[in-house]
Amino acid sequence: ILLKHLTRVIEIAEKYGYEPIMWGDTFYNLLTKDYRLQDGQAIPETVLQKVPQNIRLVYWDYYSKDYLRYYNKIKAYQGFGRDLIFAGGAWIWTGFTPRNRFSFDTSLPSIQACLDLNVQSYMMTLWNDDGADGSDMAALPTVCLAAERFYGHDEHIEDAFFSLTDVALADFLLLDLPCDIDESAPSDKSNRSKYMLYNDCLYGLFDYVPAAGDGEKYVAYAQRIREAAKRAGRYKYLFDTQSALCDVLAIKYELGIKTHAAYRTSREAVGALVRECYRPLRKRLRKFYETFKKQWDRENKPIGFEIQDYRLGGLLQRVEHCAERLTQYAEGKIDALPELREELLVCNESLLNGGMFYDFRGMISANPL
């Protein structure tokens, strides 16, 4: 069925003078016991015979930091007997915050493998998964690094980046901070700035992730990003969005833990938490919404922002409702909050080691939307 469809698509493409390309794992992963070849394993002849000659294949991979993984797979792909395209990735697709450091660490070994094996075509992908929260422009450091490495000038990446953007590379990389709890740790693909933003104040599916004091780090992050924004010129809007997000996370990141602790302490503690955290949080969320909206309008068509309206608008209303419930308890108008009596369970252990949680629907509730 696939080959019949593919043959027809190729005929149409050639009719209009196009050269078709396609993701190669459609073929690479065929006809093995687990439907996936191991790194370096030769592609069976039965698979090679199925691939039309007049199509180019793309080996996509933006997850690994291992040079040998890229080298071995490129060697295997070259067994198809045609020019190979490699597709790497500049990570903007897991939330509001880019992951340039992680993109550096995955791009450099893949580029080196391409150079060593004479792969002439390299594609840098920027996906828009789960709402297109991320900014294309926030990935400029990764795109610049890839180009400079291919041209053999990556030792001058800082100079090249500044000449192209008028912004210091070190400043631009501060946009990654909202997803970094420990800057000295190895880079990872964590999107904690998104899933902790949407983490419910009372149910707190991810309340096992923060450690005491993590929220304070966002106070410092916000200040550093605001200082860099003064030097960011035409890219200032990116820094405004991330600093506003840090202002939110300075309260929101540990809010679930603090809410449970206050509930176990006293009604007075709950009332104080509403005054000190919930009320300023609403104001900061509105500011983040406005800065993010400006970023969206600058880079995107308006189509699609309705999703952000529903998400961020829903978050604002949820914070309002939680504050109302907590106030009622603090004032003795209700006897208990069943939401805060549930045992906190670990729903995804990978988040404790820099993993990512991908789907908005699973961030806000364990209940189906």
Side-chain angles (χ1 to χ4, degrees), residues 170-191:
D171 280 349
F172 223 94
L173 290 175
L174 293 177
L175 296 176
D176 282 29
L177 279 179
C179 280
D180 292 329
I181 285 298
D182 182 358
E183 292 179 79
S184 64
S187 67
D188 58 46
K189 55 184 179 288
S190 172
N191 62 334

Side-chain angles (χ1 to χ4, degrees), residues 202-203 207 255-264 339-340 342:
L202 300 185
Y203 298 136
D207 280 343
L255 185 57
I257 297 173
K258 292 180 178 180
T259 301
H260 278 78
Y263 183 67
R264 292 192 299 268
E339 307 97 311
L340 298 178
E342 297 299 321

Side-chain angles (χ1 to χ4, degrees), residues 87-250:
W91 283 69
I92 61 164
W93 57 83
T94 58
F96 302 96
T97 303
R99 305 305 290 136
N100 281 295
R101 281 207 307 139
F102 183 73
S103 302
F104 280 15
D105 290 343
T106 58
S107 296
L108 287 174
S110 70
I111 292 171
Q112 188 60 53
C114 286
L115 291 170
D116 291 344
L117 292 170
N118 199 33
V119 175
Q120 296 296 309
S121 299
Y122 188 99
M123 179 192 308
M124 183 62 75
T125 64
L126 291 82
W127 302 107
N128 290 137
D129 301 25
D130 195 42
D133 307 318
S135 161
D136 288 349
M137 293 298 102
L140 284 175
T142 302
V143 177
C144 183
L145 176 78
E148 291 301 303
R149 181 69 189 93
F150 262 108
Y151 296 138
H153 305 304
D154 53 305
E155 69 273 16
H156 303 300
I157 176 66
E158 290 87 358
D159 294 337
F161 189 81
F162 186 81
S163 70
L164 290 166
T165 65
D166 296 321
V167 183
L169 178 62
D171 280 349
F172 223 94
L173 290 175
L174 293 177
L175 296 176
D176 282 29
L177 279 179
C179 280
D180 292 329
I181 285 298
D182 182 358
E183 292 179 79
S184 64
S187 67
D188 58 46
K189 55 184 179 288
S190 172
N191 62 334
R192 58 177 59 90
S193 69
K194 181 173 181 176
Y195 69 72
M196 291 307 296
L197 173 69
Y198 288 119
N199 187 44
D200 194 77
C201 303
L202 300 185
Y203 298 136
L205 294 177
F206 306 111
D207 280 343
Y208 61 89
V209 175
D214 280 349
E216 282 298 314
K217 296 177 182 178
Y218 284 100
V219 177
Y221 287 173
Q223 183 58 36
R224 290 170 63 186
I225 295 172
R226 268 193 287 270
E227 287 297 317
K230 299 174 183 177
R231 305 183 290 271
R234 63 187 181 276
Y235 299 105
K236 180 179 180 294
Y237 71 99
L238 299 173
F239 292 77
D240 291 342
T241 297
Q242 296 303 319
S243 62
L245 179 58
C246 286
D247 285 336
V248 170
L249 292 172

